Every structure is written in C-alpha cells, then in structure tokens.
Amino acid sequence: TICALTRAIERDIDVAAQALRFAKRKRIHTGIGTSDSHIRYKFNSSREEIIERAVQAVRYARRYTDDVEFYAEDAGRTDNEYLARVIEAVCKAGATVCNIPDTTGFRTPYEYGEKIKYLYEHVDAFAAGKSILSTHCHNDLGMATANTVAGVLNGARQVEVTINGIGERAGNTSLEEVAMIFKTHPDLGIVTNINTQKIYPTSRMVSSLMNMPVQPNKAVVGKNAFAHSSGIHQDGVLKNVTTYEIMDPKEVGIDDNAIVLTARSGRAA
C-alpha cells in the first residue's frame, strides 16, 4: 500500500490524492497534534476544535480513498481520556488506521504500552476490527524499539518503522530490530512475514543512497553486530556459536560471523 502523509488541511489532502492517482492500493495519512502543548502553542486552538478539525480531515480524505489513516501527533504527551475521545471521533468518521505517535520519544515502554491498552479497551472500533491501532515511536531517549514492542503486546497491529532507525532528531523505531525481536521470540505469537534475509542488503543500500553511515555497534545491521573481539566471547563462540549469538547472521543476510583479532583476543582465537 502506497501511503501519502498530510496535515489536516484540505489542500494537503488534495495534493496527496493527486500524488497517489496511479497507485493500485493507496492510503492517505492525515492528522493533527493533540497534546495540550500543541493545541495551545502550535495551533492556538481548543480541544473541541481540534477534534472537529480531525474529523473533517478524515471525512475529506475518505472522498479519495477508503483507506485513511489518522495520526494524533504528540499522542505520547496527550492524556489518555482526551486521546480516546479524538480517536473515537475519527474512527466514526472513517479512519481505518489510527496512529499513536510518541513524537518526542518521551514515554517509557510501560507508559506507552498502557496508553495503547487504554485505547484498545476504550475505543470500540479496535476490538470490533473496524480500525487498526498503529505505533509510531521516536528514539530521543533510546526507547523507540522497546516502546513499539510494548505497543504491539498491548494491541497495536501496525508498527511504523524505518530502515536503520533513521528519522527526525535521534531517529525512529528500527525495522530490523522489531522484525528480529519477534522472530527470535516466537513465544510472543507475533508474525511479521518479513523476509529477514533482505534486511542487511537493504540496510546497506539505504546507508549508501542516503550517505548515512550505520554505527558499528548498531543492533542487527552494524558491522560489529556479529563480530567477536573479546577473548572470552571468542572462546565461547568457537566452542558453540549459541553461547554469544541469539541470531544466525544468515537470517538477516550476512554471510557469517567474524572473529576479530584485537588486543583483547586470547589464545583460542
């Protein structure tokens, strides 16, 4: 599905629809800030007016496509009761997906999971299968992946992610981290259907085309993710790879692990 992002402004939605005109499966993703900070300082508005603008935007987008997603910007800092009112209203207006962004990366995994749980329990459209809850987490405090996983475990069924975790400021939730968390934890019962063997080559391609190097110790796709330089680790891996590796590098498209000779290497290496 090809998705175009807009503000809750009719001319934005018109342009998005024009951009999507050749897409076989298209979605318009519109939304507005819902936290008191955004309502007061960004929009100089009121809570009731924001709900009205949100509903109008969703209804307008529905003129172009049946697949409309709504984002409540800064939902992370929006109180749950008001957020549920906004989401309930846009679901009734026809939103098929509702995106709950932790725009500033402020919430802890427990808090974010509780927020998703509250919405799932208080907005009828989710339990009825009429709308899908989506996560959209930022990494300002390094909790984007943890928050996303907490969201899924509490009812979210779409996650908004990026290759290599790229994104505004400190970045967004990393696709490769979420995909491999659920693959290495089948007991959680979450299946993504992602071909994980494409992860590493895709990571390299994005890094190259965007001229954004991946830090060596980046989870899953960093050049050191499957490299062992400590003597204790090297000894263990040489005896049995599962002592220090929870993933087979081939699962993410890497040919093999690496034993790197360093000042910390021992006789085993």
Side-chain angles (χ1 to χ4, degrees):
T1 301
I2 307 300
C3 178
L5 182 71
T6 83
R7 296 170 295 175
I9 298 173
E10 289 186 0
R11 66 176 180 273
D12 273 28
I13 296 170
D14 291 336
V15 171
Q18 175 70 7
L20 291 167
R21 66 190 183 279
F22 298 121
K24 293 180 180 179
R25 294 179 60 185
K26 56 192 173 187
R27 172 185 294 177
I28 293 176
H29 186 176
T30 189
I32 196 167
T34 56
S35 68
D36 288 335
S37 175
H38 280 229
I39 293 171
R40 180 178 177 183
Y41 299 113
K42 187 174 172 182
F43 299 113
N44 189 27
S45 186
S46 67
R47 284 186 165 194
E48 297 307 318
E49 186 179 341
I50 290 298
I51 292 178
E52 187 177 324
R53 288 178 62 179
V55 167
Q56 288 175 351
V58 170
R59 285 177 177 165
Y60 192 77
R62 283 292 299 240
R63 297 181 183 184
Y64 291 109
T65 175
D66 291 335
D67 192 356
V68 175
E69 180 170 352
F70 175 81
Y71 66 84
E73 190 177 11
D74 206 19
R77 294 188 296 174
T78 303
D79 75 78
N80 290 350
E81 185 179 351
Y82 175 65
L83 183 60
R85 286 179 57 205
V86 175
I87 298 303
E88 180 80 41
V90 297
C91 284
K92 288 180 179 178
T96 49
V97 180
C98 291
N99 165 16
I100 313 301
D102 183 26
T103 306
T104 59
F106 178 69
R107 297 266 71 98
T108 65
Y110 174 78
E111 291 171 328
Y112 189 76
E114 287 295 296
K115 187 177 288 286
I116 296 295
K117 182 180 179 181
Y118 182 91
L119 293 172
Y120 191 86
E121 292 176 347
H122 289 81
V123 179
D124 295 337
F126 300 131
K130 295 179 180 178
S131 186
I132 295 170
L133 259 172
S134 177
T135 68
H136 179 114
C137 299
H138 283 258
N139 206 38
D140 297 69
L141 292 173
M143 296 188 289
T145 295
N147 285 348
T148 297
V149 171
V152 171
L153 298 181
N154 281 280
R157 283 300 173 265
Q158 173 179 292
V159 295
E160 299 178 15
V161 295
T162 64
I163 301 294
N164 299 338
I166 60 175
E168 191 78 358
R169 301 184 313 278
N172 287 73
T173 305
S174 166
L175 177 147
E176 55 274 11
E177 292 172 13
V178 174
M180 295 312 294
I181 284 170
F182 290 130
K183 186 164 186 176
T184 57
H185 290 270
D187 53 301
L188 296 177
I190 305 296
V191 179
T192 67
N193 287 329
I194 290 172
N195 181 354
T196 60
Q197 292 183 338
K198 300 291 187 181
I199 284 177
Y200 188 74
T202 304
S203 167
R204 296 294 97 188
M205 179 181 69
V206 170
S207 175
S208 174
L209 293 177
M210 297 191 70
N211 195 27
M212 293 181 68
V214 177
Q215 66 187 62
N217 62 329
K218 167 75 176 64
V220 183
V221 294
K223 71 175 184 179
N224 291 345
F226 295 94
H228 307 277
S229 59
S230 160
I232 295 173
H233 287 227
Q234 291 173 340
D235 179 58
V237 166
L238 289 168
K239 289 174 178 174
N240 189 308
V241 71
T242 61
T243 54
Y244 287 101
E245 286 186 11
I246 58 170
M247 296 175 279
D248 182 340
K250 292 183 176 62
E251 288 184 328
V252 298
I254 299 173
D255 290 337
D256 209 345
N257 62 12
I259 300 294
V260 184
L261 294 178
T262 69
R264 302 183 305 283
S265 297
R267 293 181 180 177

